[in-house]
Amino acid sequence: PSVYWDSLQGFVTLGDQFQGLVKTVPFALIIALVGCRQGLTTSGGAQGVGRATTSAVVFAMIGIFVSDFFLSAILQRGLGQ
């Protein structure tokens, strides 16, 4: 454990930690909004719930990937990395 912790402290900067914390808010919003939208528009009983759940996961992952790309570009430019 000490080898892992020592190497982690050597490679991870404060900017990396800040970027990771800042990204959590938009990611959480994307997951919550997509999940609520899909859940509130679900119909068709149990089969409809299964389809809505699958589509919510897919849409949320796509939204996270896209927002991660843009957030990384913005935050790295702003942090000067």
Side-chain angles (χ1 to χ4, degrees):
S2 65
V3 173
Y4 171 76
W5 187 250
D6 292 340
S7 63
L8 183 71
Q9 289 175 335
F11 289 109
V12 177
T13 65
L14 189 61
D16 294 332
Q17 294 174 1
F18 174 75
Q19 186 175 359
L21 288 173
V22 167
K23 286 181 179 182
T24 59
V25 174
F27 292 171
L29 285 173
I30 289 169
I31 292 169
L33 292 174
V34 168
C36 286
R37 186 213 175 266
Q38 292 299 110
L40 291 173
T41 59
T42 299
S43 62
Q47 196 172 31
V49 170
R51 274 188 254 119
T53 302
T54 302
S55 65
V57 170
V58 171
F59 290 144
M61 290 304 298
I62 291 170
I64 287 172
F65 287 143
V66 170
S67 66
D68 185 41
F69 174 79
F70 288 110
L71 286 170
S72 293
I74 292 168
L75 291 172
Q76 286 180 357
R77 186 173 302 146
L79 295 174
Q81 294 180 350

